[in-house]
Amino acid sequence: MSRIPLERKVLGENDRIAAGLRERFAAHQVRCLNLISSPGSGKTLLLEKTLGSFRPDRRVAVLTGDIQTDNDAVRLGRYGFPVRQITTAGACHLDARMVDRALEGWQLAGLDLLLIENVGNLVCPTSYDLGEEAKIVLLSVTEGEDKPLKYPGIFSRASLMVLTKIDLLPYVPFDVGKAVEYARGLNPAMDVMELSAMTGQGLGNWMAWLDSAATHGMP
Amino acid sequence: MHEMGIAASLLDAIRAELARYPGARATRAGLRLGEYSGVDRESLSFCYGVLVEDSGLAPLALDIEFEPRGRDLDLIYLELDDE
Ligand SMILES: Nc1nc2c(ncn2[C@@H]2O[C@H](COP(=O)(O)OP(=O)(O)OP(=O)(O)O)[C@@H](O)[C@H]2O)c(=O)[nH]1
Ligand SMILES: [Mg+2]
């Protein structure tokens, strides 16, 4: 009997493909962002408002992941920018290979910004690097301010937390200060913003964050 | 739930390491699982138990070393029956 010590990443194959994507994004100066939240927190509506406020010559594209349906790609496709649906057929997350395949035929040289909407899930997408520059976690005010404590994996990795649906704050007990305190307890460097994609409140901050040339920390 | 996929990746990682020791049989594998890895320990144990049966590697025990506040999901050792 002998014990062989090892240090091998279980998701090493995904990490390898993600590293390849990250190199390609860097070579073409494409900023890639991975949006993660539980189902229905408002990822697609925020992306719709984002695309809707870009100038038509903005070099942006979107990949959107769902287990079933191309509903989100249909919603996002109305704004004149390239959009592709990734249907995972059961998988609860996107992985780097899916992103790599979905990019086939797109000229990265023609893009500055690639927005990826992950499958609605606060757990599984956490483990899979997609080659993104930053993960963004969305938390809607109807979900409760304790979510960073319950799902520390994603809140500890995200560079930005977006509190969504703040137009509903008058109707739900949600302590913004606590949500921020819990998230920063895990991740002191995290950026935080509040917005309502519905009313447009706070969208300016979000657009400024997207445009900022600053590096928001690697995942 | 993505623990089935993770368990399958773990078995692939074990096979890849074992390939370096022709003729050896593994009896035990060690995994370091970070609290923030996004992977649930109980669920992974269960899925591993199901998949290892048909993997051609059974019996192959899995030890999970839990790492508080860690992010790792690493295969950290194999025990070989090399007689
Ligand atoms: N009141 C309010 N509703 C919102 C806001 N943003 C999104 N919604 C609504 O919340 C629901 C879910 O929004 P989506 O944008 O589809 O959420 P999602 O995160 O993309 O959902 P999945 O892709 O299924 O995970 C829709 O009915 C939206 O209209 C908001 O700022 N305020
Ligand atoms: Mg959506």
Side-chain angles (χ1 to χ4, degrees):
Chain A
M1 184 77 71
S2 58
R3 176 179 285 202
I4 306 162
L6 302 168
E7 284 292 335
R8 187 187 180 99
K9 301 254 168 258
V10 170
L11 294 177
E13 179 59 12
N14 184 78
D15 291 349
R16 192 184 60 76
I17 299 168
L21 286 169
R22 185 166 285 117
E23 263 175 40
R24 283 167 61 199
F25 295 146
H28 295 288
Q29 295 175 309
V30 180
R31 188 153 191 233
C32 174
L33 302 170
N34 180 3
L35 276 71
I36 296 173
S37 80
S38 48
S41 300
K43 298 178 292 299
T44 307
L45 191 62
L46 177 60
L47 290 176
E48 284 189 74
K49 296 295 163 132
T50 306
L51 297 181
S53 61
F54 280 148
R55 292 169 38 153
D57 61 353
R58 180 72 197 240
R59 292 150 39 103
V60 59
V62 182
L63 296 177
T64 181
D66 278 295
I67 293 176
Q68 292 288 350
T69 85
D70 63 354
N71 292 357
D72 284 2
V74 170
R75 286 168 60 187
L76 293 162
R78 296 176 182 139
Y79 299 88
F81 300 103
V83 174
R84 273 193 191 149
Q85 181 79 45
I86 302 175
T87 310
T88 64
C92 47
H93 58 271
L94 296 179
D95 64 35
R97 191 184 302 277
M98 296 177 198
V99 170
D100 193 43
R101 288 213 188 104
L103 290 176
E104 264 169 38
W106 275 359
Q107 297 300 322
L108 288 183
L111 292 179
D112 298 326
L113 181 62
L114 176 67
L115 299 166
I116 302 180
E117 174 181 345
N118 218 309
V119 178
N121 187 312
L122 272 181
V123 183
C124 310
T126 307
S127 318
Y128 294 85
D129 184 5
L130 304 182
E132 72 274 342
E133 173 186 320
K135 290 178 171 55
I136 298 174
V137 64
L138 282 70
L139 172 60
S140 66
V141 301
T142 58
E143 293 171 66
E145 65 274 336
D146 60 349
K147 290 301 164 290
L149 299 178
K150 290 189 177 174
Y151 301 91
I154 182 56
F155 287 91
S156 71
R157 281 178 171 79
S159 304
L160 168 67
M161 173 170 77
V162 182
L163 297 175
T164 62
K165 308 193 187 183
I166 57 166
D167 57 293
L168 299 178
L169 277 175
Y171 313 105
V172 289
F174 182 91
D175 189 329
V176 171
K178 281 248 152 54
V180 174
E181 180 190 321
Y182 296 150
R184 289 236 171 94
L186 293 160
N187 183 352
M190 181 188 248
D191 286 340
V192 176
M193 64 180 65
E194 305 165 26
L195 57 80
S196 166
M198 185 108 118
T199 65
Q201 190 186 345
L203 268 185
N205 288 338
W206 161 251
M207 298 305 290
W209 193 93
L210 279 185
D211 284 333
S212 71
T215 305
H216 292 274
M218 300 299 278
Chain B
M1 293 294 280
H2 62 322
E3 279 75 7
M4 266 304 173
I6 300 280
S9 298
L10 174 58
L11 286 168
D12 288 344
I14 291 170
R15 274 195 203 91
E17 290 295 339
L18 261 181
R20 298 158 36 160
Y21 303 91
R25 239 196 59 72
T27 52
R28 186 170 286 277
L31 176 77
R32 187 189 305 117
L33 187 149
E35 182 181 3
Y36 301 161
S37 65
V39 176
D40 180 69
R41 174 186 186 151
E42 301 300 319
S43 163
L44 179 64
S45 287
F46 175 79
C47 295
Y48 174 83
V50 171
L51 291 190
V52 75
E53 283 310 315
D54 294 325
S55 68
L57 296 171
L60 173 54
L62 178 67
D63 297 336
I64 298 183
E65 181 183 294
F66 187 72
E67 184 193 27
R69 292 182 302 284
R71 294 180 180 181
D72 291 350
L73 190 62
D74 294 346
L75 177 61
I76 52 172
Y77 60 80
L78 278 181
E79 284 185 8
L80 301 186
D81 195 356
D82 41 13
E83 97 255 0

